[in-house]
Amino acid sequence: MAHSDLTKEQGRTLPKLDLKTMGPAIALILLCIIGYSLNPAFLGEGNITNLLTRSAFIGIIAVGATFVITAGGIDLSVGSMAAVLSGVMIMVMNSLIDVLGTGVATVMTGCICSLILGIGAGMVNGLLTTKAKIEAFIVTLGTMGIFRSLVTYFADGGTLSLDFSLRDTYRPVYYESFGGLPIPVWVFLGVSVAGWILLNRTAFGRYCTAIGSNEHVAQYSAIRVERIKTATYVIQGFCVSLATIIYVPRLGSASASTGVLWELEAIAAVIIGGTVLKGGYGRIGGTILGALILTTIGNILNFTDVISNYLNGTMQGLIIIVAVWLQRAGWRGRGKTAD
Amino acid sequence: MPFDGGSPVAVLAADRISKSFGSVPVLFSVGFDILPGEVHALIGENGAGKSTLMKILGGFHQPTSGRIFMDGKEVVLPPNGQAEDLGIVLLHQEFNLAEQMTVEENMFLGREKSSNGFLRRKEMREEVRGHLAEVGLNVSPTARVSDLSVAQKQMLEITRAVSRQARVLIMDEPTAVLTTAETELFFRQVRRLRDNGVAVVFVSHKLGEVKEIADRITVLRDGQWIATRPARDLTLDAMAQLMVGRELSDLYPPIAEADVDAPKILEVRNLTTPRVRDVSFDLRRGEVLGFSGLVGSGRTDVFEAICGLQQVEGGQIRFDGQPVNFRSVAKARDAGIAYLTKDRKGKGLLLEQGMLPNVTLLALPRFVRNFMLDRKAEEEALKRGIRRFDIRARDPNVRVGDMSGGNQQKLLLAKIMEINPKVVIVDEPTRGIDVGTKQQIYHFIAALAAEGMSVVVISSEMPEIIGICHRVFVMREGRIAGSLTGDDINENEIVRYAAGLKEAV
C-alpha cells in the first residue's frame, strides 16, 4: 500500500529539503576540485591525512554543538573550556610525575581529569540554563569569560608547558597512526558515528529535536525537558574534553590564546552543515562536512598564493554567510508551496 | 448562479477563482462577492478552501485562474499585506502583534505619527485611548502585549483594523478564542462597522454565531462553491447539511448507559492549586465526564495539576485505588493518564515535523528496542492512527502545520492512544473544527468509553457536553459549582451554575 513508501520517505526528512541536505557535500567537492586544480598535491595522501587530523578538533566539538543547537540552545564557552581544560590537564600531569612517574598512569590520570572537568563544566552550563532559567547565550557568555580568565590565571599570564619527560609518552596520541589513519581521525570518526546514531536513531535524539521545535509540546508530551537540555550541554563538555585530550600532545602547552574563536568555528561548522540555528532540526553528517569545509579553505589558502593566507577568516566568513543564505532561500520556497 | 462577476456595487468580488498548490487543486472556479455594509459569512468544513479563498481576497495568494474586481474594476491585489493600503485588511487566526511592544506601539506599527523624525507619542496615546474606549477594551495603552490575555489580544487586533479605516475586513475565526461575553462585545463592534459601510467577511465554525451576525452566507465544500444565500433563509441544520452534503441527524453518538457500579479509576479529594480550590470528584471506568464552565474557571488547571503540569498545593488523588502524586507528565503517562491539550498548535503538535515523529512522541519509550528507535514499529503506529482516526492528509509527508485543524486533532488523538491510556482527558476537543469532523470525534469518544476507557471532556460548547457526557461538573472561579446527571444535564442548569446563579451546597 501507499503507506509503506509513505513512511520510508518520512524516515529521512520532509520533501523539498533535498538540495539543502546535499549542499554541504557539493560545496566540499567543489572545494576539493578547486584545491586540486590549483595544486595537484592537494589530493596527495599526506595532505588528506593532515586535513582530516586538523578537522578533528573542531569537528569533535561541533558534534557536541549540534546537540546543543538542535535542542534550541547555544554554547559559546567551548573555546575557553578547551583552553582551561588543557591548562588544568597539563598542571595535573606535571605535578603527578613525582608520584606516578612519567608513564601511562600519569597521562591517563590527566585524561580522566579532563573528562570529569569537561562533563562538570557542561553540567554547570546546562543547570544554569535549565534550573536557573537564564538564557543559554548569557550563561555561556559568562562561563566563556570565566574559563578564559582562569587559564590566564593558571598560566600566570604566560604559557603552561607539559614537562618534557612526559612528551614521549603522550605524543603518540596526536602523531601516531593506526591502520593508516592518525589517532585523532579515529576519535573524530568514533564521535561522529556515535553522535549520528544518538541523534537519528535514539529516543534521546528525537527528544532533542522535539525540544528545539517547541518546548511546550515537548513538555506536554512527557519529555523531561530540563534533563534532556542539560544532557546536551554535558555531551558538549564531553566532546570538548575529548578534543582537548588529543590537542594537548600536539603542542604540549596551553596559554590564554589556546582555543581562541573555536566556539565560532564549531557553531559555523554546525550551521554550514544545515542544522537550524533556532533548533528543531539537526544534522550530524552536515556538521562533519561543515568542519571539513572550514579546514579545507584554510588548507587551500596555504597551498596557493592567489589569495593571502591572512584572508582565511574572510573566506570562512563568506562561506558561512552564503551557506545560511542558501538555507533561508530553501525555507522560504518551502513555506510558499506548503501553505 | 446568483453571482455576476462585475457587479458594480460589490466592493470586492472574485470571479471564477481557481487555485492549485503545485499539482494539488484547492479551489475550483469559485465566485464570491462582498457588498459595502454587509456581513458575509463564509462557512465550510476544514479543508473546504475557506482559508485559501480569504488569502486570495487579502492578496496573500494569487489565484491560478480567475479575476478579482474591486469597485467593479479588475485588479491584481498586491502581495504580503500591501492590500491594506487599498482598505482590505485580513485578520489571521494567529495574532499579528509584536509581543514585546506596548498596545500603543502595536496600534501604530508601520504608520507611526512623527514630526521631524520624532514620534508624537502624546497624540498617538490619546488616539489609542479613544479607540480602546470605543471598543470597550479595558487595557492601558502602555501595557505590554505579552501581558494581555488571549481575548484582549484578539480585541486589540480588531481595534487596530478598525483604526486603519478598513473598507473590507476579512476575519478568520475571530471568535474561536473569545468567551460568550467577549463575543457579544465583538459582534456589537462588527455591527457598528457594518452600519458605517464596512464590508465584513466572517469565517466561523460556530453556526449559531454565523446565523446571528451574517447578512449573507456562502458555503464551500471540497473547494467548490455550493451556495450563497441570505442568512434569514437558512436554518442551522440547513447550513450544516450544505457544508457536509449529507444529513447530520446523528451528530452525537448514542450514549451507552453508565454503569454506576463500575470501579472508580480516579478519585480526587479537595484538590487545591494556585487557581483551583477544594475540587473533589470521582471518575468511573467507562464513563464520559464533562467539565463545563466559563473560560478561566479552572477546568484546565484541575487536570493539568493532576497530570503533573501544574503545582499541587493540597488534596489527595487516588488512581486505581492507589494514592498518587504525579510530579511529571511522564509519571502520569506511565500510570495511564493522557491529557490532550486545547492548544493544538502551541502545546500539542510539532508543526514543523511530519506526522510520524508526532504520533509516537508521547509514547516514545515504547518504541525503543536495544536503545534504538524501532522505525518499523513507529511506521506501524502511524498506519494504525491513520486508520483508526481516519486522518486524511493530502500528502503523507505533509508538515503537520499544513494539515487542517480536524486532521491535527485526529493526529493528537492517535498520539495519546499510543500509550494505551486508562483515562483520557480531552480539552476543547472540537475547537476550530468543522461539523463533519466534530461528529467523528464525538463517535471516537463514545467508542473509547464503550471499550472501558474513562474520558473527561472539558468544553465551552454546551451542546457537546450535553450530547456526549454521562455526568457533568460545572466550575466557577476555581471551584466546582455543581454537578448534573442524566436528564438534568441541560443548558439552563449549566448556565445557572457557571454564572453563579445557583450553587450546590
Side-chain angles (χ1 to χ4, degrees), chain A residues 31-52 296 299-304:
Chain A
L31 279 175
C32 288
I33 293 171
I34 293 170
Y36 182 75
S37 60
L38 290 173
N39 188 340
F42 175 79
L43 285 184
E45 196 196 326
N47 191 48
I48 293 285
T49 5
N50 175 31
L51 223 159
L52 290 172
T296 308
N299 187 265
I300 290 176
L301 297 185
N302 270 337
F303 257 76
T304 69

Side-chain angles (χ1 to χ4, degrees), chain B residues 350-369:
Chain B
L350 300 172
L351 301 178
E352 294 291 333
Q353 310 271 342
M355 290 194 280
L356 184 98
N358 270 295
V359 86
T360 55
L361 195 59
L362 181 62
L364 208 58
R366 288 174 178 243
F367 294 92
V368 175
R369 199 145 299 153

